[in-house]
Amino acid sequence: MTEGGFYPASLIQSWPKPSKPRPIVTFGAGSIVGDAHFPAYRKAGFPVAGLYDPDQTKARTLAEKWGVTAFRSVEEAATVKDAIFDLATPPGRHAEILKALPDGAVALIQKPMGNYLGEATEILEICRAKNLKAAVNFQLRFAPMMLALKDAIAKGWLGEVVDFDAWLALATPWQLWEFLLKAPRVEIAMHSIHYLDLVRQLLGDPKGVHAKTLGHPNHKVAQTRTSAILDYGDTVRCALSINHDHKFGRRHQACEFRICGTEGAAYLKLGLNLDYPTGEPDILEIHPKGGTDWVTVPLAGEWFPDAFVGRMANVQRFAAGEDHELVSSVEDAWNTMALVEAAYKSSAAPATPIAERP
């Protein structure tokens, strides 16, 4: 189907594969590894040498399921030659793993890049000192719908982007990640960071941010609700409304983006977050420049696991010299962490007071 000359099937939805993929060594045996990393790597044909987790029982169980080695220590895992080191570890553990890697190694670091900006800076300095080729796993950039959206914008089908809305009202099963239940920073640092990073890719770095993030009286997770406005000056409006506590049935739940340009618009449903980790199909629809109606873009995959395929493909290809840019390198990812830090600072600051009636 075409609309005003718009051919949805022509939009880029995948990342080229490396010609000779290197073996992958994963640190961590949490749910994200079994739900996303390993399914993606198997689907893409990327070899996995093995994994390490301090919980050896957990590590052996996952390793046996996927037919890979369970290493006995960080040091043993780090000896695998020409490996891509895949850090699926809690943010507070990234630095010690990176220090154990050989100089010049290639690494993919799970988001966030540390718990705080100070830890992100430490990670950046470690990568610089050891000459690590390191990227942060902001894989939403590589989801088929997001690659297609980026391509549509680059080809001018939306005109100049002037509005970005993220709207989430859903029920997220935080209990799947035990380390988050007592973490001081949760919603922005672990979830909406994906959206902030994507916004940076599409719109560049904002001038600042107004934000409020908070928990909910029905549980003890530090933050599960966020409202944020990113300041892009007088032309672009960017707003996020995030509520992970909408536990009243599927009917009025939502997880969607609306991106409007001067000449076209896009609508996206992020199906994964609805009934995570089972999810629903993703949706991308575009009202293209010169068109008169919305066009559904047939998607070639889903956020999980396909985004992890593209994310690792870029790292592999950069290591081999086949890609000239390492997307979300630690240098760029530090800026996403700075935006996260600014959002938390904004949330902690008092709001503009309302004048009292005389």
Side-chain angles (χ1 to χ4, degrees), residues 151-159 263 289:
D151 194 31
I153 292 172
K155 290 175 177 175
W157 289 111
L158 273 63
E263 298 178 272
K289 173 183 177 181

Side-chain angles (χ1 to χ4, degrees), residues 270-286:
L270 288 68
L272 173 70
N273 291 334
L274 298 161
D275 189 30
Y276 183 93
T278 303
E280 300 176 3
D282 294 328
I283 292 174
L284 171 60
E285 297 180 359
I286 293 179

Side-chain angles (χ1 to χ4, degrees), residues 129-148:
K130 295 178 66 65
N131 193 31
L132 301 179
K133 299 178 181 68
V136 176
N137 201 345
F138 289 128
Q139 18 68 20
L140 182 58
R141 294 191 183 200
F142 293 87
M145 59 181 166
M146 297 307 175
L147 291 174

Side-chain angles (χ1 to χ4, degrees), residues 149-209:
L149 171 67
K150 186 172 182 288
D151 194 31
I153 292 172
K155 290 175 177 175
W157 289 111
L158 273 63
E160 179 186 355
V161 175
V162 293
D163 275 290
F164 185 106
D165 281 298
W167 180 37
L168 277 70
L170 41 72
T172 297
W174 298 106
Q175 69 277 5
L176 292 178
W177 306 278
E178 292 183 12
F179 73 96
L180 289 183
L181 300 182
K182 295 183 180 179
R185 290 183 170 186
V186 178
E187 203 293 309
I188 299 175
M190 301 303 299
H191 186 92
S192 287
I193 189 172
H194 279 302
Y195 313 144
L196 296 176
D197 181 72
L198 183 74
V199 168
R200 284 192 57 248
Q201 183 189 38
L202 297 178
L203 300 177
D205 289 311
K207 297 178 179 180
V209 59

